[in-house]
Amino acid sequence: MKILLINGHPDKESYNHALAAAYMEGAGNSGAEVQEINIGELDFNPNLGCGYRKRTELEPDLVKAQESIKWADHIVWVYPVWWGSVPALMKGFLDRVLLPGFAFKKREGSVWWDKYLTGKTSRIICTMDQPTWYYRWINARPSHIAMKKLTMNFIGIKKVSITSIGPLRLSKYGFRQKWLAKVEKLGFQNR
């Protein structure tokens, strides 16, 4: 199994980085081939300034990211939910990397499109400062829908699992350690 972990938290000292390391440890111990992208370490302009009207040349880090996405069988996203969404830098990464011609292609004269990243699976591991039940039932889980249905499914990744961890801000050491162990196990199971 070829696994790509994409970490969307810009802070290297965040709990999200610890979760990413735990997943990578588990996946590595399972014998999987693993690559990692830390979006906060990439050199790129996150602004898709002209939309899709005019092509913006990809920076070398984004070209490499596209190669890693093509290479992977399973893509794992680790990020915090901020304002009901993904961090701004991660959103810019999505805008700049999942381009027409790479991730999908609109059909001429049609509202439909071709999905270029079929056959892959994905897992979302996200943290939040609210209880996960509140995010689901009261706030209707906007980042889950955006990432799973409007992004991953749109480009052809149909099997997407979600692991939500929260509330994080007031959590105790034992709660965080328990989740690190669970995420390491997910990595070992290549899930």
Side-chain angles (χ1 to χ4, degrees):
M1 169 83 65
K2 295 183 284 189
I3 299 174
L4 173 63
L5 187 140
I6 303 176
N7 190 336
H9 199 302
D11 182 359
K12 292 180 187 178
E13 296 179 26
S14 70
Y15 183 64
N16 280 241
H17 276 260
L19 289 167
Y23 189 96
M24 299 271 294
E25 177 80 16
N29 287 339
S30 76
E33 293 179 66
V34 184
Q35 291 184 18
E36 181 178 20
I37 296 173
N38 286 301
I39 295 173
E41 296 175 1
L42 303 181
D43 183 18
F44 74 103
N45 178 355
N47 186 14
L48 186 61
C50 297
Y52 298 135
R53 179 180 54 80
K54 183 177 167 186
R55 181 174 171 86
T56 304
E57 288 303 314
L58 289 178
E59 295 86 348
D61 283 350
L62 297 186
V63 171
K64 187 172 185 299
Q66 284 185 337
E67 291 168 358
S68 293
I69 289 168
K70 278 186 181 177
W71 166 85
D73 299 315
H74 184 63
I75 302 170
V76 178
W77 299 87
V78 179
Y79 61 88
V81 173
W82 288 346
W83 295 105
S85 188
V86 300
L89 192 60
M90 182 173 156
K91 177 62 169 78
F93 176 84
L94 293 167
D95 288 348
R96 293 290 316 283
V97 170
L98 301 179
L99 295 171
F102 168 71
F104 67 97
K105 180 184 177 189
K106 298 277 182 151
R107 295 180 188 162
E108 191 71 35
S110 174
V111 297
W112 304 109
W113 63 99
D114 295 315
K115 303 172 182 187
Y116 288 171
L117 298 177
T118 59
K120 298 178 184 300
T121 58
S122 186
R123 171 163 300 273
I124 294 166
I125 301 171
C126 61
T127 59
M128 57 192 69
D129 284 341
Q130 59 191 286
T132 56
W133 65 266
Y134 193 87
Y135 186 69
R136 178 182 180 93
W137 297 109
I138 305 302
N139 290 329
R141 58 187 208 268
S143 72
H144 292 174
I145 291 168
M147 279 298 291
K148 180 177 181 171
K149 294 182 183 242
L150 303 174
T151 305
M152 295 296 100
N153 291 171
F154 185 89
I155 60 176
I157 302 173
K158 291 183 180 179
K159 186 175 178 192
V160 181
S161 302
I162 301 174
T163 300
S164 299
I165 304 169
L168 195 58
R169 185 174 58 87
L170 301 175
S171 66
K172 305 280 190 245
Y173 177 80
F175 175 87
R176 291 176 181 229
Q177 290 304 113
K178 176 186 83 166
W179 273 108
L180 288 172
K182 285 183 177 183
V183 167
E184 183 175 346
K185 185 176 180 182
L186 287 173
F188 187 79
Q189 296 169 339
N190 299 168
R191 298 182 47 216

